[in-house]
């Protein structure tokens, strides 16, 4: 009799606790979404020329079409905001997916060579192609760097996928090691090309390697933003499978997860998404590493929360960094990769210290 009374009570307690956790996690995602919306509005108002909110709203709606404010807002600032949202979201989301897949907290898009592969091809186009095939670069025009970056990122994905196969199956350890090796080879090639570059080429290469959202014309960012968004949405559907992988690959297979197909999806989608972002923004580090950790520290390891939360946090970090980059040293613009590390690292350390104090 006592057991019959206790067990339903315990089940009710567990159900109540689960409801509270779900509610807290939904509140977290809603709060991050609101913060991201407010920051997007603020990013449209600040810059070398400060524009009041009402004038920004008038420009977006279509009032005062001949006004200079509309040109600044719709042609310069709004594309940057859209690019920051898409690129930051895909970097944070891909970092979360790769960390869940490899069960490695240090995994991020840069670790498997995707970003560095794209950077190597950009360096090759700046230093070598400008001398060997200048007509090709002239024909591609503003799409030259995005095209070469996409090719480099896709080549890195293909190499990781090919080298990660063992006896017909994909090995997480082999893919991770292959990615590290490709990353090192691409970084070595970038260093050699930097050594060969002229002063003008070095300035272009250095600024691109540190990341920037200055190349944010609508015709350039829309294809990249569309591909990054599509890859982000596709990655979201792998949350349950990644949760199963937290138990181990063998246990995930027992639960009905096709682990090899999951690895294939995550690697290809991450490569395409990061390649699309890198093609327009350059190499922006740290976001894919730290954004998932920030979400896990606040909400736990459930990928149903970690994946969308990492996308929101990644977009928020990049948007804040870009806003600061535009006004920090006018009329120049700081490389955004410096700021993502400068903003994200102290905040991450603070969260880590707070979490550790709470556990103790």
């Amino acid at each position: 009799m006592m057991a019959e009374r206790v067990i339903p009570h315990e089940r009710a307690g567990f159900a109540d606790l689960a409801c509270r956790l779900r509610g807290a996690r939904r509140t977290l995602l809603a709060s991050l979404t609101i913060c991201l919306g407010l920051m997007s509005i603020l990013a449209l108002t600040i810059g070398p020329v400060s524009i009041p909110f009402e004038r920004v709203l008038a420009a977006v709606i279509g009032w005062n079409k001949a006004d200079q404010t509309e040109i600044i807002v719709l042609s310069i600032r709004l594309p940057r905001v859209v690019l920051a949202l898409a690129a930051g979201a895909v970097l944070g989301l891909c970092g979360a997916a790769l960390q869940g897949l490899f069960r490695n907290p240090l995994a991020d898009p840069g670790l498997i060579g995707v970003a560095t592969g794209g950077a190597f091809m950009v360096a090759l186009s700046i230093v070598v192609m400008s001398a060997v095939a200048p007509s090709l670069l002239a024909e591609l025009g503003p799409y030259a760097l995005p095209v070469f970056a996409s090719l480099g990122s896709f080549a890195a994905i293909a190499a990781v996928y090919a080298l990660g196969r063992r006896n017909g199956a994909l090995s997480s350890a082999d893919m991770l090691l292959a990615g590290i090796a490709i990353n090192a080879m691409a970084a070595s090639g970038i260093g050699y090309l930097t050594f060969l570059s002229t002063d003008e080429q070095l300035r272009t290469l250095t600024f691109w390697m540190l990341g920037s959202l200055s190349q944010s014309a609508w015709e350039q960012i829309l294809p990249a933003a569309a591909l990054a968004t599509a890859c982000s949405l596709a990655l979201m559907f792998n949350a349950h499978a990644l949760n199963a992988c937290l138990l181990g690959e063998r246990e995930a297979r027992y639960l009905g997860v096709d682990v090899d197909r999951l690895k294939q999806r995550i690697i290809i989608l991450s490569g395409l998404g990061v390649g699309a972002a890198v093609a327009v923004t350059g190499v922006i580090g740290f976001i894919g590493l730290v954004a998932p950790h920030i979400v896990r520290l606040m909400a736990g390891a459930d990928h149903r929360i970690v994946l969308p939360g990492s996308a929101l946090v990644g977009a928020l970090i990049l948007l804040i960094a870009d806003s600061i980059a535009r006004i920090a040293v006018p009329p120049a613009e700081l490389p955004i990769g410096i700021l993502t590390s400068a903003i994200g690292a102290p905040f991450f350390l603070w969260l880590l210290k707070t979490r550790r104090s709470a556990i103790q």
Side-chain angles (χ1 to χ4, degrees), residues 113-122 148-149 151-154 156 182-183 186 190 278:
V114 177
T116 315
F120 172 72
M121 286 300 293
V122 167
F148 279 98
L151 290 175
S153 296
F154 189 78
I182 291 168
N183 190 36
I190 292 169
V278 168

Side-chain angles (χ1 to χ4, degrees), residues 25-311:
R25 290 166 178 172
R26 289 170 184 168
T27 301
L28 173 64
L29 293 180
S31 301
L32 288 173
T33 303
I34 292 171
C35 290
L36 189 59
L38 293 175
M39 189 61 218
S40 300
I41 296 171
L42 182 61
L44 293 174
T45 64
I46 62 176
V49 178
S50 181
I51 302 175
F53 171 71
E54 58 271 15
R55 294 184 64 187
V56 170
L57 182 62
V60 172
I61 293 176
W63 304 335
N64 303 324
K65 290 190 175 181
D67 190 58
Q68 187 179 8
T69 302
E70 182 179 340
I71 298 175
I72 295 174
V73 172
L74 298 184
S75 300
I76 299 175
R77 294 187 184 175
L78 187 58
R80 290 183 75 126
V81 169
V82 172
L83 181 58
L85 294 176
V90 77
L91 289 173
L93 186 58
C94 290
L98 290 171
Q99 287 173 15
L101 178 66
F102 293 123
R103 300 193 304 281
N104 187 333
L106 297 179
D108 78 324
L111 188 63
I112 62 171
V114 177
T116 315
F120 172 72
M121 286 300 293
V122 167
L124 192 69
S125 68
I126 292 173
V127 178
V128 177
M129 296 297 291
S130 59
V132 175
S135 58
L136 176 61
L137 294 180
E139 186 176 346
L140 291 173
Y143 298 99
L145 294 187
V147 166
F148 279 98
S150 299
L151 290 175
S153 296
F154 189 78
I157 303 168
V160 168
Y161 183 76
L163 295 172
R165 296 190 71 85
R166 180 191 296 178
N167 298 325
L170 288 173
S171 168
S172 297
D174 287 353
M175 283 195 297
L176 190 57
L177 291 173
I180 293 172
I182 291 168
N183 190 36
M185 291 171 60
S188 176
I190 292 169
Y192 180 68
L193 291 171
T194 301
F195 176 75
L196 296 178
S197 62
T198 64
D199 290 341
E200 182 179 356
Q201 292 171 342
L202 181 60
R203 282 194 295 271
T204 303
L205 184 57
T206 301
F207 195 74
W208 196 89
M209 286 293 297
L210 292 175
S212 173
L213 303 186
S214 59
Q215 303 296 325
S216 55
W218 284 115
E219 61 271 15
Q220 288 180 300
I221 72 165
L222 285 179
L227 180 56
T229 302
C231 291
S232 298
L233 293 175
L235 283 170
M236 294 282 192
F237 290 100
N238 296 282
H240 289 284
L242 288 171
N243 280 342
C245 286
L246 291 176
L247 303 173
E249 290 188 12
R250 181 180 298 176
E251 288 77 5
R253 287 191 173 92
Y254 288 151
L255 293 173
V257 176
D258 189 338
V259 176
D260 288 339
R261 192 173 293 275
L262 175 66
K263 293 175 183 177
Q264 183 180 14
R265 285 199 306 269
I266 297 296
I267 289 294
I268 292 176
L269 289 172
S270 297
L272 290 176
V274 173
V278 168
V280 185
T281 66
V283 179
I284 299 177
F286 197 78
I287 291 178
L289 177 64
V290 74
H293 285 287
I294 291 175
V295 179
R296 289 192 191 99
L297 286 172
M298 293 188 292
D302 188 347
H303 283 92
R304 292 174 297 177
I305 304 298
V306 171
L307 292 181
S310 298

